[in-house]
Amino acid sequence: MVKVAVLGAAGGIGQPLSLLLKINPKISELSLFDVVNVPGVGADLSHINSDSTTSSHLPSSREDKTALASALKGADLVVIPAGVPRKPGMTRDDLFNINAGIVKSLAEGIAENAPNAFVLIISNPVNSTVPIVAETFKKAGIYDPKKLFGVTTLDIVRANTFISQLYPKETKPSDFNIAVVGGHSGETIVPLYSLGNSGSYLEKLSEEDKKKLINRVQFGGDEVVQAKNGAGSATLSMAYAGYRLAESILKAVDGSSGITECAFVDLDNTAIKGAKEAKELVGLGFFSLPVVLGPGGAEEVKYDVLEKASAEEKKLLEVAKEQLAKNIEKGVAFSK
Ligand code: APR
């Protein structure tokens, strides 16, 4: 029996994400929460003949906390795509003031109603919203760093697709699983193409093409924002990415071993194996790294990728760390 709650389920990401979760046979109860339109989304999904139940929860007013409480009660996993999306010209950090408040209040609801759930944060800027949730959970005395994840999976998905597009005859996107580390915004995103099977393909590129490829991963979201021409940011690919991480966590909880996904996790703790060593290397409290998943969540971070990275990638990491430090600090300060 697995209950999954989606907070922000009626949105551009929330709807396709809920659809993917609805057809996952491991999930027995899908609980949808939003401040608008969620009954319609719930009714629509409820007709799908998968074996899970669907419930929708819409607050009757701004003050109504009962809808969120019932959405969350008994949830094993909570995914949060609630917030406002990026419009053209906006950076993810411009979203901060609106989304920080939304995420904080939802985190308070989780602390009260589903303190043992795995929590996946999609609401941007992830570099700052994840520290906000961690601080909120700490204040409530329920924080388990192994269960909190910032979803950076879309960066990995893009990194795999974009290198494959450069070698369409020899490769498919699914041939790759690039380690993308750092954060989830612009230059904080560092794809480590030199490692693994992408290394030989990277080497064949000119210096200029290497730079273009890395830049495309870092700013891939902008391609979607521009193409949507004012209608929002990535939704379908983001929903797929959020689903992929949720699915991997559910598999690991069920006992599958050796599942590794990159995710933005807390390094300021000893609960996750390797977190201390990773913190010594990056000097930051949160970082996206390959995370080995187990029944309890994030069991171990594979920080060796940072040591094995090429000299060029190490330079990119320095730029990423400087920006990321500010983003993390902003989230922590907001929660104080
Ligand atoms: N509680 C629950 N849901 C909320 C709240 C709240 N307090 N505030 C807003 N929402 C809902 C909106 O009603 C909407 O249905 O969140 C949903 C967001 O959907 P969209 O506006 O379509 O935005 P989307 O493109 O899905 O992006 C959501 O994810 O990737 C990030 O940058 C993106 O932060 C943005 C978020």
Side-chain angles (χ1 to χ4, degrees):
M1 297 292 282
V2 175
K3 174 172 174 175
V4 176
V6 182
L7 312 183
I13 296 168
Q15 290 198 38
L17 173 64
S18 301
L19 172 62
L20 293 168
L21 294 165
K22 177 68 185 171
I23 58 176
N24 182 313
K26 281 193 198 296
I27 298 169
S28 51
E29 197 180 341
L30 181 63
S31 172
L32 310 176
F33 175 84
D34 204 301
V35 291
V36 293
N37 300 341
V38 75
V41 176
D44 197 353
L45 285 176
S46 73
H47 289 188
I48 293 175
N49 63 344
S50 64
D51 295 336
S52 56
T53 59
T54 311
S55 59
S56 42
H57 307 266
L58 178 74
S60 55
S61 67
R62 270 179 162 269
E63 292 71 39
D64 175 15
K65 288 192 172 177
T66 58
L68 181 61
S70 65
L72 288 169
K73 274 276 180 280
D76 301 289
L77 191 148
V78 181
V79 195
I80 311 188
V84 293
R86 231 162 19 123
K87 299 274 162 58
M90 262 172 115
T91 68
R92 287 196 178 94
D93 292 332
D94 293 334
L95 298 179
F96 179 82
N97 285 326
I98 308 167
N99 286 358
I102 293 173
V103 169
K104 184 162 183 266
S105 71
L106 294 173
E108 285 164 356
I110 296 169
E112 212 172 308
N113 299 290
N116 298 317
F118 292 95
V119 179
L120 276 55
I121 310 296
I122 292 174
S123 313
N124 272 315
V126 161
N127 296 353
S128 305
T129 51
V130 174
I132 290 173
V133 176
E135 289 300 317
T136 308
F137 285 177
K138 277 182 207 164
K139 269 190 197 157
I142 61 107
Y143 186 43
D144 179 354
K146 293 169 79 169
K147 290 188 159 182
L148 176 63
F149 300 85
V151 181
T152 58
T153 320
L154 183 52
D155 306 321
I156 292 85
V157 166
R158 285 183 178 138
N160 298 340
T161 303
F162 295 167
I163 190 158
S164 178
Q165 286 174 347
L166 298 176
Y167 298 96
K169 290 206 182 87
E170 303 102 300
T171 71
K172 320 182 279 309
S174 62
D175 292 340
F176 299 104
N177 191 15
I178 313 295
V180 183
V181 302
H184 182 56
S185 172
E187 288 180 325
T188 69
I189 299 168
V190 182
L192 301 178
Y193 276 118
S194 73
L195 308 180
N197 64 344
S198 51
S200 57
Y201 292 104
L202 185 74
E203 276 320 299
K204 287 190 228 170
L205 298 177
S206 66
E207 286 311 308
E208 198 189 331
D209 286 346
K210 277 185 203 171
K211 274 198 186 123
K212 270 194 200 154
L213 174 64
I214 291 163
N215 191 271
R216 194 172 176 212
V217 176
Q218 292 181 322
F219 296 94
D222 293 350
E223 288 180 19
V224 182
V225 170
Q226 276 151 24
K228 289 195 175 181
N229 205 11
S233 49
T235 54
L236 302 172
S237 51
M238 186 61 237
Y240 165 75
Y243 176 72
R244 174 172 141 173
L245 183 59
E247 188 189 31
S248 291
I249 291 171
L250 293 178
K251 279 186 191 158
V253 167
D254 244 10
S256 297
S257 58
I259 300 180
T260 304
E261 292 277 5
C262 288
F264 191 67
V265 294
D266 188 341
L267 301 183
D268 251 337
N269 69 88
T270 50
I272 304 173
K273 195 173 161 209
K276 187 170 162 276
E277 291 83 351
K279 168 96 197 262
E280 276 163 21
L281 285 170
V282 300
L284 295 170
F286 289 87
F287 212 74
S288 189
L289 282 169
V291 178
V292 182
L293 300 168
E299 302 286 348
E300 181 179 359
V301 285
K302 293 284 193 190
Y303 61 87
D304 60 330
V305 294
L306 301 171
E307 295 163 331
K308 291 179 188 154
S310 69
E312 284 93 354
E313 288 163 352
K314 283 182 176 154
K315 276 187 211 151
L316 294 175
L317 278 167
E318 288 311 310
V319 177
K321 284 192 303 197
E322 205 175 304
Q323 280 197 28
L324 197 45
K326 291 180 200 149
N327 300 157
I328 295 169
E329 182 44 43
K330 204 168 166 183
V332 173
F334 180 85
S335 320
K336 287 272 153 71

